[in-house]
Amino acid sequence: MRVYTDKKETELKQVVCNCCRKNLLVENGFLKEECIRVEHDFGFFGTRDGISHGFDLCEDCYQKLIEGFSVPVDEWERKELL
């Protein structure tokens, strides 16, 4: 869950893991901890047509989530981090 200083979402104030409620470190409007942000717009042919969801997971909760997958996630090493 993300909290901003204003409705225009110009400066990040707080990030909370939607799973465990851990407050992630935010300094001067910048997230200083690893976090997985998921945003999805549901389209047609489902039960959530026209609905959007967004959530944040801390690194520990993300690890627990993917450990439960039947098919492992794709993983590769990036050469550049920008």
Side-chain angles (χ1 to χ4, degrees), residues 44-59:
F44 299 110
F45 313 114
T47 58
R48 294 182 173 91
D49 293 355
I51 306 269
S52 297
H53 281 187
F55 62 89
D56 295 285
L57 294 177
C58 69
E59 199 167 9

Side-chain angles (χ1 to χ4, degrees), residues 1-50:
M1 174 188 77
R2 294 186 177 223
V3 177
Y4 293 89
T5 57
D6 57 20
K7 290 184 179 185
K8 294 181 182 179
E9 299 182 354
T10 55
E11 185 178 344
L12 191 61
K13 181 179 176 182
Q14 181 182 25
V15 178
V16 178
C17 176
N18 283 80
C19 188
C20 71
R21 296 182 183 212
K22 175 183 176 184
N23 277 301
L24 302 174
L25 179 62
V26 175
E27 288 181 354
N28 299 321
F30 293 98
L31 182 61
K32 299 281 190 152
E33 235 179 300
E34 193 62 50
C35 175
I36 307 301
R37 175 72 183 163
V38 176
E39 291 184 2
H40 184 72
D41 300 323
F42 290 92
F44 299 110
F45 313 114
T47 58
R48 294 182 173 91
D49 293 355

